[in-house]
Amino acid sequence: MRLRTRLALAFALLALVPLAVVVPLTVSRLRDTLSREQTARMGAATTSAQESLERSATTVRRAVEELVESPAMEDLAREAREHPMLAIQAGTAEALMKSRGLTVLTLFDRSGTVLSSGHLPARRGDPDPALFTVTRAAPERPVPVRVEVRTTAGLRQALALVSARPVDYGDARLWAVGGVLLDDGLAQHLSRLTQAEVTLLAGDTALAHAGSAEAPTLERVLPLGDAASVRLTFSRAAAREAVQGVMRAFLLLAALGMAFAALLGLLVSRWMTRPVEALTSGARRVAEGALDVQVTTEATGELGELVRAFNHMTSELQATTERLMASERIAAWQEVARRLAHEIKNPLTPIRMSLETLLAAQASAHPSFPTLFKESAGVVLEEVDRLRRIVDEFSHFARLPKPQLTRVDLGELTQSVLALYASPPEGIQLLPTVQEGVVARADRDQLTQVLVNLVKNAEEAMAHKGGALRVRVKGTDSDAVIEVEDSGPGIPPEHRARIFEPYFTTKDGGTGLGLAIAARILQEHGGKLEVSGEPGQGARFTVVLPRANS
Ligand code: ADP
C-alpha cells in the first residue's frame, strides 16, 4: 500500500477513536436520563390517576349519603312502607339519580327486588343480585361492580363505582345503590390526565378504553377493589426516538469526520510524499548514472533539509566522479606515454650502435667501411620503419574518430568479416551461429575492426595446435551480442586484467593495441567488451551493444 493511502486511512481511523469513546458513553447516559425521566413521569401520572379515582369515589360516597338523608328519600320510604310498587314509580330513580349528578342508581326493597332503576328502568320488578351484593360491602368505600346499561346498540355490560346505603322508616327498609359509570368518558379523562392509554378492566375483560400508546410500551396497573383495575399503558417511543436521533447524529458526525480526516490525510501525505517521491526518482536516476540530478521542492523542515542534503550529495558525487575520471585519464595517458617511450627506445639503440660503428669505421678508414655502411644503413632504415609504424598506430589509437552510428545488422556484418576467412588456416575450423534480425546502432567500420581483431587473436591463439573458432550472434530484449570463442590456451588469470591495456602483448611483434582499441570503440558505442573462459580451455570475447529498436 502506498504511503499516501496508508496516511489517509490512519487519519480516518484516528478521527473515529474519540467518537468510538464518546458515543457509547453519551448514548448510555442519555438512555439512563430518559429512563429516569420516564419512570418519574409514569409515577406522577399514576398518582394523579389514583387521585382522580379517589375523588370520584368520594363524590359517589357523598352523593349517595346526601341522597339517603334527603327529605325526598324519607318521604319515599314512608310512602313505600305499605305499597312500595305504588309509591315508587319507574322514573323515580332516574329523577333522583340526575338530581345528584350520578349515572347509576337502583332502589331495592330489602329482598333485592328492583323498585326503580335510573340507569336501566326496565329492571323494575326483577332482582339484580350483582348490584345488590354491594349492600353487603362497607358503605364508606365505593366499590367497582359490573352493571348492565342500555345503549342504542342494546344491553351492554359496564363497570360502575357504586356505594350502597339503607333507608329505614320504622321497620321498613329500602336500599339505594348509586354511583358513576366507569365508562369511556372516564377513561378519556384519565388518558388526558396521564398522557397514557387507559383501559378499565373487570377481571380480564376490557370494559372501557381511551387513548393509544405507540410501541414500545410500559404498563402500570391500578387495582380498583378486588375484581377491577385500571391499566395505564405508557409509550416509550419518544425516548427511543430521541436515542435513535442522537445515534443518527453521531453516525453522520462519524462519517463526516472520517471523510474530512481522510481528505486531510491525503493532503498532508501529498505534501509529505511529494518531496519523497521526487527524491526516489532522483535516486533512481543517479543509480542509472545521471549524476547531475537536482531535486526541486518547496518542502521545508526536515524534508527540505533531506532534499538539500540529497542535492548536495549528487553535486559532490558528480564533482568527485569528474575528478576521478580526470585523474584516471591522466594516469592512463601516463602509462601509455611510458610504454610508448619504451617502444621508441627499443629501435633507438640499434640505430645509435649502427651509427657509432660507422663513425668508428670511418675514423679508422677501415677497409670494410662500404660493406659496413650498407649493413648499418639497412638496420637504421628498418628501425626507422618500425618507429614510423609505432607512431602511426599510436596516432590511430590517440585520435580514434567519433563513431558514425547507423543501423548495423550484426549477422550480416559477421558473415562479411568471416568471408575474409573463406579458407581458414590449416587445422582451424570456423563455426558460426547467427540469429537473424539482431540490429545495433553502430559505426560499421569500427565494429568491423573490432571483429577482425577478435577473430585474428583467436586464430593466433590456435596457430600451433588448431581448433574450433565459434562465432555467435544473438539478441536479448535490450542487447545485441557477438561472441568470439576459440579453443586455444585461454588467458592466464594474471593477464586477464591487463589485456585491455595499451601496449600489453605476449606476442613477438605484437603491438598490444588491438584489444585496447576494441574496448575503447565499444565504450564509445555505449557497449562493452568482456572476456571469459577457463585457462587451458580457450578464451571467449563477448561484444555487447545496445540493441536498436526494430
Ligand atoms: P596483440 O594481438 O598485438 O598482442 P591485443 O591487444 O590484440 O594485441 O592482445 C593483447 C594480448 O591479449 C595478446 O598478446 C594475448 O596475450 C592476449 N590475447 C588476446 N586474444 C587472445 C586469445 N584469443 N587467446 C589468448 N590470448 C589472447
Side-chain angles (χ1 to χ4, degrees):
M1 209 189 287
R2 287 176 71 89
L3 181 63
R4 204 171 278 192
T5 325
R6 271 193 300 210
L7 265 173
L9 267 179
F11 267 63
L13 286 179
L14 220 62
L16 212 58
V17 170
L19 282 175
V21 175
V22 168
V23 174
L25 229 116
T26 313
V27 168
S28 128
R29 283 266 170 84
L30 183 72
R31 271 211 184 102
D32 281 359
T33 310
L34 286 172
S35 151
R36 267 202 303 279
E37 194 264 343
Q38 174 108 35
T39 313
R41 204 158 51 80
M42 284 189 337
T46 312
T47 309
S48 50
Q50 186 111 42
E51 282 168 3
S52 174
L53 287 168
E54 298 279 351
R55 272 198 303 279
S56 298
T58 311
T59 312
V60 164
R61 185 171 52 77
R62 281 216 192 110
V64 174
E65 220 168 65
E66 281 167 16
L67 175 71
V68 297
E69 283 164 9
S70 66
M73 201 64 199
E74 198 181 328
D75 291 348
L76 210 61
R78 190 177 57 240
E79 285 165 23
R81 230 174 107 197
E82 299 298 327
H83 305 288
M85 279 301 183
L86 279 179
I88 297 171
Q89 305 294 310
T92 308
E94 191 174 356
L96 288 171
M97 181 180 84
K98 285 188 174 154
S99 72
R100 295 292 160 186
L102 297 173
T103 44
V104 172
L105 181 66
T106 300
L107 297 175
F108 289 100
D109 68 7
R110 76 166 62 232
S111 66
T113 306
V114 175
L115 298 173
S116 176
S117 172
H119 57 280
L120 188 61
R123 257 284 153 79
R124 182 174 153 85
D126 292 339
D128 188 346
L131 194 57
F132 195 64
T133 47
V134 181
T135 57
R136 286 197 284 279
E140 299 80 37
R141 271 203 82 73
V143 290
V145 69
R146 279 191 200 213
V147 293
E148 279 189 320
V149 288
R150 176 173 295 283
T151 64
T152 44
L155 281 184
R156 172 176 89 74
Q157 288 278 320
L159 199 60
L161 190 65
V162 298
S163 178
R165 288 291 174 125
V167 187
D168 293 320
Y169 191 83
D171 56 351
R173 166 169 278 202
L174 293 180
W175 280 100
V177 182
V180 290
L181 281 172
L182 299 180
D183 54 6
D184 287 351
L186 179 85
Q188 269 160 22
H189 169 68
L190 290 179
S191 176
R192 270 198 303 277
L193 202 66
T194 57
Q195 301 293 310
E197 179 183 349
V198 176
T199 315
L200 302 179
L201 298 151
D204 291 335
T205 320
L207 293 178
H209 176 263
S212 62
E214 195 185 325
T217 55
L218 271 178
E219 286 185 354
R220 288 280 188 279
V221 175
L222 294 177
L224 272 180
D226 297 335
S229 56
V230 177
R231 186 170 67 206
L232 303 173
T233 310
F234 295 92
S235 170
R236 283 173 50 228
R240 196 179 61 164
E241 186 56 38
V243 172
Q244 281 175 350
V246 169
M247 291 283 273
R248 271 197 297 274
F250 272 129
L251 276 179
L252 192 73
L253 208 66
L256 280 176
M258 277 178 77
F260 181 71
L263 200 75
L264 201 71
L266 272 179
L267 285 178
V268 169
S269 62
R270 241 174 88 103
W271 169 72
M272 270 177 64
T273 55
R274 210 187 273 162
V276 173
E277 279 166 5
L279 278 175
T280 311
S281 90
R284 203 170 288 135
R285 279 170 56 207
V286 169
E288 284 162 7
L291 295 181
D292 56 345
V293 173
Q294 291 285 302
V295 174
T296 47
T297 173
E298 65 271 25
T300 51
E302 288 90 337
L303 281 172
E305 195 69 30
L306 183 63
V307 170
R308 275 192 294 283
F310 177 84
N311 286 342
H312 182 66
M313 183 195 77
T314 54
S315 39
E316 278 291 298
L317 203 63
Q318 191 176 18
T320 311
T321 310
E322 276 166 7
R323 275 199 297 276
L324 216 73
M325 275 162 66
S327 56
E328 260 175 16
R329 267 198 302 274
I330 290 168
W333 280 111
Q334 278 172 343
E335 180 63 16
V336 170
R338 194 180 62 75
R339 290 182 188 215
L340 184 67
H342 178 74
E343 291 291 315
I344 290 172
K345 239 180 181 166
N346 285 345
L348 288 182
T349 311
I351 289 174
R352 186 188 176 90
M353 278 170 68
S354 301
L355 289 177
E356 277 171 0
T357 311
L358 274 185
L359 282 174
Q362 195 223 14
S364 61
H366 202 279
S368 61
F369 179 76
T371 329
L372 268 177
F373 183 82
K374 203 172 170 206
E375 272 176 17
S376 296
V379 169
V380 169
L381 280 177
E382 196 180 308
E383 293 304 325
V384 166
D385 267 355
R386 207 169 129 199
L387 273 174
R388 185 188 295 134
R389 214 171 52 245
I390 288 169
V391 171
D392 277 354
E393 275 171 1
F394 174 74
S395 71
H396 182 63
F397 172 72
R399 281 190 289 113
L400 195 65
K402 257 202 136 16
Q404 300 299 311
L405 299 182
T406 54
R407 287 170 61 84
V408 179
D409 186 314
L410 296 195
E412 206 184 282
L413 181 93
T414 304
Q415 301 287 14
S416 69
V417 169
L418 294 184
L420 301 172
Y421 299 89
S423 47
E426 208 32 53
I428 292 179
Q429 211 184 348
L430 212 55
L431 301 169
T433 322
V434 172
Q435 180 186 325
E436 295 295 325
V438 179
V439 178
R441 281 185 64 74
D443 184 311
R444 195 181 176 89
D445 290 342
Q446 290 185 1
L447 203 55
T448 306
Q449 188 186 345
V450 169
L451 206 53
V452 165
N453 194 269
L454 294 179
V455 170
K456 182 175 73 71
N457 277 351
E459 256 183 33
E460 285 170 4
M462 297 186 290
H464 301 301
K465 293 192 174 167
L469 171 54
R470 293 191 165 78
V471 181
R472 295 187 202 89
V473 174
K474 57 188 185 184
T476 67
D477 281 349
S478 55
D479 296 334
V481 177
I482 307 173
E483 284 175 4
V484 178
E485 186 179 344
D486 62 61
S487 55
I491 296 156
E494 65 271 22
H495 287 172
R496 196 160 276 194
R498 303 191 57 201
I499 55 171
F500 297 112
E501 288 176 5
Y503 298 110
F504 175 82
T505 182
T506 55
K507 298 170 194 165
D508 297 337
T511 62
L513 284 176
L515 289 180
I517 290 173
R520 258 192 74 189
I521 287 175
L522 288 168
Q523 195 186 1
E524 306 242 319
H525 276 74
K528 59 188 172 183
L529 177 60
E530 287 172 341
V531 64
S532 57
E534 294 297 312
Q537 294 180 13
R540 181 200 290 171
F541 285 85
T542 310
V543 171
V544 182
L545 284 164
R547 193 167 180 173
N549 297 334
S550 46

